[in-house]
Amino acid sequence: MPKINLNENQQALLAKMYDVVLDPDVNPETRKAFIDTKNKIEWGRNFDRELSDLMRQLEFLIVTHPVFEFAEEARKRKVFTPTIGGSTHGSW
């Protein structure tokens, strides 16, 4: 596995992804979306792009309390750039 360099916000969000994956209240389809995203990031894919894709997927998946908390935390910590489909103002 390649070494990944994540900033503090990215590290915190990756840790929260682990929490969601381990939560028994999260349904299998939602858990799979988090696992796939986590794995892609750990294999060196662009964190921001993968997080953006996950957030888009969550619009169509069952959102439990842990997933909602993750999404809220991601929105607080995330600043999008025009190259990854967001705005420079940090909103989705």
Side-chain angles (χ1 to χ4, degrees):
M1 183 175 347
K3 181 174 174 13
I4 56 174
N5 293 316
L6 301 177
N7 66 38
E8 189 175 312
N9 282 336
Q10 292 170 332
Q11 290 173 5
L13 288 174
L14 188 60
K16 289 190 178 297
M17 280 185 208
Y18 281 106
D19 293 341
V20 171
V21 167
L22 296 174
D23 193 296
D25 293 333
V26 175
N27 75 27
E29 189 176 5
T30 304
R31 180 175 287 109
K32 183 178 180 333
F34 275 86
I35 290 171
D36 290 347
T37 300
K38 178 190 72 63
N39 288 344
K40 289 175 185 176
I41 291 167
E42 289 174 340
W43 280 100
R45 301 276 303 262
N46 181 280
F47 184 94
D48 294 335
R49 188 168 292 120
E50 296 306 324
L51 181 61
S52 295
D53 288 346
L54 175 62
M55 296 302 286
R56 277 192 294 277
Q57 290 177 55
L58 293 180
E59 294 176 19
F60 304 101
L61 297 172
I62 296 172
V63 176
T64 58
H65 186 69
V67 174
F68 176 79
E69 285 182 340
F70 171 85
E72 287 301 304
E73 191 63 29
R75 286 183 184 102
K76 288 179 200 172
R77 292 176 180 266
K78 184 82 177 85
V79 176
F80 285 88
T81 64
T83 59
I84 57 170
S87 78
T88 56
H89 304 293
S91 61
W92 271 287

